[in-house]
Amino acid sequence: MDEKLYRELGQLTKDKTIWKQNIPYVASLLKNQSPKITAKAMWLLGEMGLIYPREIAPYTNAIASFIVSDNDLLRERSANALGRIGRADYKLVAPYFGELFILAKDKSPNVRLNFIWASENIATNTPTVYKDCLPIFAELLNDKNDRVRIEAPEMFRVLGKRKPEFIRPYLERLEYIAKHDEVSIVRIHAKGAIRATLSKTNKEPVAKTQSQLNFALQREHKQYVLKPKSVTLFDTD
């Protein structure tokens, strides 16, 4: 029975044209099913929620209830689904936002990994809610599990592109990881987080400074030649 139902969900996953009409049916599988079926249904609801957040809204509470499940896989899928739904509409997952952070210290590495993925999804469109949460992700930079440690810098990259001021206090730590972590992909991801943060940090201030200088030039009838660490003045007269 499980295998037949699992294949049915697999076929439904492939046909997005019938997702909307099947949301209530898939949500019904969160109850009285094996963990395998419940996990598959929850994953699919997350993907559906990314496209149809309003239709998923009545089921977010049921999905969030699995945050405290005894089953590792169901905690993973709960985090993942809430992340996808929250990417589409943060308001739908806001009541469970604080509870999600329980998973940052979960005993299962896969649950911690899915917590990071969920956070990246939510932060993509609602980065401000993570303003005071960075210490938790900083701890995950030193996770004992390689897969968790590989993913952790990605949260800093996502936020660095959107709210670089959140990440600046962690640049020194990211630089250390980029040089010294024993896993090459961790080093690569740490460098990516640094680049994203510095790129966003440098663009706007430079543009503003150059605009101010140009205005001053017009007033004084002077022409400035800008160098990286100095300003050379040439009189146009």
Side-chain angles (χ1 to χ4, degrees):
M1 180 65 179
D2 265 13
E3 289 304 317
K4 180 179 179 182
L5 188 50
Y6 194 84
R7 287 195 298 271
E8 178 186 324
L9 289 172
Q11 290 301 314
L12 180 56
T13 299
K14 297 175 183 178
D15 190 355
K16 294 183 179 181
T17 64
I18 58 173
W19 276 13
K20 188 175 182 179
Q21 68 197 60
N22 277 284
I23 288 172
Y25 166 65
V26 176
S28 73
L29 299 177
L30 296 178
K31 296 180 180 180
N32 304 319
Q33 299 292 335
S34 68
K36 180 179 179 179
I37 296 300
T38 300
K40 180 68 172 178
M42 198 153 21
W43 179 86
L44 183 51
L45 287 171
E47 296 306 299
M48 289 171 161
L50 183 62
I51 301 174
Y52 303 109
R54 185 178 300 177
E55 288 74 16
I56 287 291
Y59 310 108
T60 53
N61 186 59
I63 293 169
S65 70
F66 290 98
I67 291 174
V68 293
S69 171
D70 292 333
N71 185 288
D72 293 358
L73 180 60
L74 297 182
R75 294 197 305 279
E76 288 177 39
R77 292 295 178 261
S78 178
N80 189 269
L82 291 173
R84 299 298 271 174
I85 296 165
R87 181 171 183 155
D89 187 348
Y90 172 71
K91 294 189 296 296
L92 297 180
V93 301
Y96 320 106
F97 183 72
E99 195 174 359
L100 267 174
F101 283 81
I102 296 171
L103 304 179
K105 295 183 180 295
D106 198 276
K107 63 182 178 64
S108 166
N110 283 341
V111 174
R112 299 196 300 275
L113 179 63
N114 275 268
F115 163 73
I116 298 171
W117 279 338
S119 300
E120 291 168 17
N121 271 274
I122 295 171
T124 296
N125 293 322
T126 318
T128 54
V129 298
Y130 288 95
K131 181 178 180 180
D132 300 317
C133 303
L134 269 299
I136 293 170
F137 294 97
E139 289 184 24
L140 291 167
L141 289 172
N142 297 320
D143 199 276
K144 293 180 180 179
N145 183 270
D146 287 354
R147 292 183 67 218
V148 174
R149 215 165 60 255
I150 284 170
E151 193 61 32
E154 289 292 275
M155 181 61 175
F156 288 79
R157 181 187 60 79
V158 170
L159 286 174
K161 290 175 67 175
R162 293 158 178 82
K163 290 291 178 181
E165 64 272 22
F166 292 1
I167 306 303
R168 287 182 200 125
Y170 299 93
L171 285 176
E172 186 174 345
R173 188 166 185 177
L174 288 166
E175 287 171 359
Y176 181 86
I177 292 169
K179 292 179 181 177
H180 299 289
D181 196 279
E182 60 186 18
V183 178
S184 62
I185 302 178
V186 176
R187 299 195 300 271
I188 291 169
H189 283 184
K191 290 175 184 176
I194 294 167
R195 281 195 302 271
T197 303
L198 292 180
S199 173
K200 187 68 175 179
T201 298
N202 292 336
K203 285 181 181 178
E204 292 181 4
V206 169
K208 183 177 180 181
T209 301
Q210 288 178 341
S211 177
Q212 291 170 338
L213 285 172
N214 288 338
F215 180 72
L217 288 173
Q218 292 173 5
R219 290 186 60 188
E220 299 179 17
H221 303 287
K222 305 290 184 180
Q223 178 180 353
Y224 285 91
V225 177
L226 299 182
K227 295 184 178 180
K229 294 186 179 180
S230 64
V231 178
T232 303
L233 177 63
F234 291 90
D235 198 314
T236 56
D237 292 337

